Amino acid sequence: MTHDAAPWWRRAEQRVTGRFTVSARPSALQLAKAGGAAVLSWFVCLIFFPDSLPMFGAIAALIVVQESVDQSLTKGIERVVGVLFGVSVALGAGALFGTNSWLFIAAIIVSMGVGWLLRMSATSTNQIAISAMLMIALGGSEIGYGVERLVETAIGAAIGVAVNAVIAAPVRTGLMHDEITSLTGNAAAALDRLADALDTPRDDAWLEDMLESARELHEERAQVHAELRRARESLRLNPRSRRHMRQLLEDDALFQRVQPIVTQVIGMSRALYDLYDPELVEDPSVIGMRQEIRRAAHDLALLGTAPQDTGTAPEPPALTAPYTIPRPPPRHWVLIGSLMEDLRRVRGRITGELD
């Protein structure tokens, strides 16, 4: 059953659950690392502050274990700074307003104002407010308690960063490699569909499906671009970065070549959809162009499949000399000229002439 054909209550449930669920479960190892970091922080903080419940340290460790070491360090700094300003706000508000019941409201307002004045992110500003309220609720206006909670937070943040870095620091280069390979293969398949349209007369439904498939490359390219950014981020400050950097650089270079090819393929599909004529398949000049498109699809697929991925010797490229049409037919010259120019650019990207 498709999503559109699902009962209304099922669609409503999906809209609600989709706001707090993800398509893929988080790594079980990352969850275990976060829980382990929190537990370790709890016992380490008890060594230094045996008379207090080390909630600040455990919370910091939980928050700090992120999907990359770089993000962990950022979250750790963010958490420590938030607690520092939160404790300061709580102490200042307590000194000014005493122990009145509306002290919490004053702390929230002051915390938001401090975050805004310092141009802090919304998350950091919220950290200040939450820390201030916890400080007031648990420690009142005692400066010693505030200093202890600040040290406790720093311990928890440091443990979270260390655990995330030392225990199988997350690396996303493998997923990035799979996605760029998939994008390259799908772009090659889209080129093959263009050649199919020039090989046999096609109806409107087939052409619409061809265009829709080509347009899906745009969203896939955006996903690969986002995954590439996350892969780069996962290697920053990562002890395992050296062994994965070469693969990332190769995938990045491939993506830079495939990006413009995707643009050309989508444009070719749109032009063919708008100006398609079944008599195109009988035009002698189209026969050579169709062969060149298939050769481009073949070589583009080769770009995304390294010899080590298949375990076989690399295939020779099919593209040779550029295909030329000395005198395009008058009836179809606009479409053929458009396809030829886009094909020239695709060929140049595949062969490296336009890099």
Side-chain angles (χ1 to χ4, degrees), residues 280 283-286 325 327-334 336:
L280 271 171
D283 196 311
S285 61
V286 171
I325 301 177
R327 183 176 298 176
R331 183 175 179 182
H332 304 129
W333 72 270
V334 174
I336 292 177

Side-chain angles (χ1 to χ4, degrees), residues 30 63-78 161 164 172 229-230 233-234 236-237:
Q30 283 298 101
I63 293 174
V64 162
V65 178
Q66 298 289 317
E67 65 176 16
S68 73
V69 181
D70 185 61
Q71 288 183 9
S72 289
L73 182 60
T74 300
K75 286 291 184 181
I77 295 173
E78 184 180 79
V161 173
N164 204 28
R172 299 185 64 94
R229 184 177 64 251
R230 287 192 287 266
E233 189 176 71
S234 73
R236 295 194 196 111
L237 307 178

Side-chain angles (χ1 to χ4, degrees), residues 168-186:
V171 174
R172 299 185 64 94
T173 52
L175 182 59
M176 170 63 205
H177 179 70
D178 293 341
E179 293 201 0
I180 185 59
T181 300
S182 175
L183 174 63
T184 306
N186 290 337

Side-chain angles (χ1 to χ4, degrees), residues 286-315:
V286 171
I287 297 175
M289 183 169 64
R290 182 174 65 235
Q291 294 174 346
E292 190 75 2
I293 291 175
R294 292 203 188 279
R295 290 171 178 169
H298 172 271
D299 284 7
L300 180 57
L302 288 183
L303 283 182
T305 307
Q308 62 267 24
D309 294 337
T310 61
T312 59
E315 296 183 45

Side-chain angles (χ1 to χ4, degrees), residues 81-131:
V81 171
V83 171
L84 172 63
F85 283 107
V87 169
S88 301
V89 167
L91 294 174
L96 290 175
F97 305 112
T99 58
N100 295 305
S101 59
W102 46 269
L103 182 58
F104 288 97
I105 298 176
I108 293 173
I109 295 174
V110 174
S111 297
M112 294 301 178
V114 169
W116 180 79
L117 288 173
L118 297 178
R119 297 184 179 181
M120 302 178 74
S121 65
T123 303
S124 298
T125 301
N126 291 339
Q127 291 279 3
I128 298 175
I130 293 171
S131 299

Side-chain angles (χ1 to χ4, degrees), residues 6-13 15:
W8 67 267
W9 61 85
R10 180 66 64 186
R11 297 198 301 271
E13 178 185 5
R15 292 192 187 99

Side-chain angles (χ1 to χ4, degrees), residues 6 73 86 147 224 262 355:
L73 182 60
V147 172
V224 173
V262 168
D355 287 348

